């Protein structure tokens, strides 16, 4: 009986890998675009504006340990021509296509001049009353080396608050509102 089950499992696996169901299995297991991603290693403000197809806002918030948010922009749709040239760092599949009920909030995150080149600061992007995304944005995903800047992109329900903080934020900790670029305090109910 066990041998029969084993043969059935092997046959199913082969059909899913090289047989008639290969395309269906591959599609089911393939990474799908996400709500959060990183792109554009060593980017600067002009690229952020070009990618978003919208004017960027300079950030007025103070630096965090090891990084700062340099500029932000909220957009309903990326510039299609620029998006095709972008290398997305996390899953390589880019982001979910825009729609009428969601915005993209993009932030240019840069290292602090004179900071420790061996430090790899952690960031947390919190969609208030929604998801939380942790990352080490100043690291090149291809080889792990330190980079000077990167663009973060988060897809959120239209109008939803989005905050960026250092790792493990608590109530009252400093944060940046990624829609406005202003300094805020991390809320207790996020």
């Amino acid at each position: 009986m066990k041998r029969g089950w084993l043969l059935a499992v092997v046959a199913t696996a082969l059909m899913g890998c090289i047989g008639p169901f290969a395309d269906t299995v591959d599609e089911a297991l393939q990474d799908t675009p996400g709500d959060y991603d990183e792109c554009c290693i060593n980017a600067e403000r002009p690229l952020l504006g070009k990618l978003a197809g919208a004017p960027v806002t300079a950030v007025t918030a103070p630096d965090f340990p090891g990084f700062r948010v340099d500029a932000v922009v909220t957009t309903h749709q990326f510039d299609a021509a620029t998006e095709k040239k972008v290398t997305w760092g996390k899953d390589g599949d880019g982001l979910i296509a825009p729609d009428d009920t969601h915005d993209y909030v993009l932030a240019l995150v840069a290292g602090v001049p004179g900071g420790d080149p061996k430090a790899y600061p952690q960031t947390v992007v919190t969609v208030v009353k929604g998801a939380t995304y942790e990352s080490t944005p100043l690291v090149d995903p291809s080889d792990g080396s330190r980079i000077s800047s990167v663009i973060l992109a988060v897809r959120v329900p239209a109008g939803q608050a989005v905050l960026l903080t250092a790792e493990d934020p608590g109530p009252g900790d400093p944060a940046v509102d990624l829609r406005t670029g202003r300094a805020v305090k991390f809320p207790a109910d996020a």
Side-chain angles (χ1 to χ4, degrees):
M1 186 68 169
K2 287 183 182 180
R3 186 174 178 187
W5 278 107
L6 181 60
L7 287 174
V9 168
V10 169
T12 303
L14 283 174
M15 287 175 49
C17 293
I18 60 174
F21 301 114
D23 289 341
T24 305
V25 171
D26 185 51
E27 192 172 308
L29 296 176
Q30 188 170 355
D31 289 340
T32 55
D35 291 333
Y36 172 86
D37 217 325
E38 302 172 3
C39 81
C40 313
I41 291 171
N42 299 326
E44 296 180 0
R45 283 187 198 183
L47 179 59
L48 177 64
K50 188 174 180 183
L51 176 63
V56 302
T57 302
V59 172
T60 58
D63 296 345
F64 292 93
F67 72 95
R68 69 175 189 270
V69 183
D70 197 44
V72 297
V73 63
T74 300
T75 184
H76 289 289
Q77 183 159 357
F78 293 127
D79 177 85
T82 306
E83 186 182 6
K84 288 179 182 175
K85 299 175 185 173
V86 166
T87 301
W88 295 95
K90 290 221 174 265
D91 59 21
D93 289 335
L95 292 161
I96 296 170
D99 59 45
D100 292 337
T101 60
H102 289 84
D103 297 324
Y104 275 105
V105 180
L106 286 79
L108 178 60
V109 175
V112 177
D116 181 357
K118 295 179 182 176
Y120 295 91
Q122 302 283 317
T123 62
V124 176
V125 175
T126 302
V127 180
V128 177
K129 297 181 181 173
T132 299
Y133 305 96
E134 299 177 4
S135 73
T136 308
L138 298 177
V139 175
D140 186 331
S142 67
D143 63 10
S145 64
R146 178 74 187 258
I147 57 176
S148 64
S149 63
V150 70
I151 293 174
L152 307 182
V154 191
R155 178 179 180 268
V156 296
Q160 189 83 26
V162 185
L163 306 177
L164 186 139
T165 61
E167 60 185 325
D168 300 327
D173 285 349
V176 176
D177 181 329
L178 292 186
R179 288 186 177 277
T180 65
R182 297 187 185 274
V184 296
K185 299 289 183 186
F186 194 77
D189 62 346

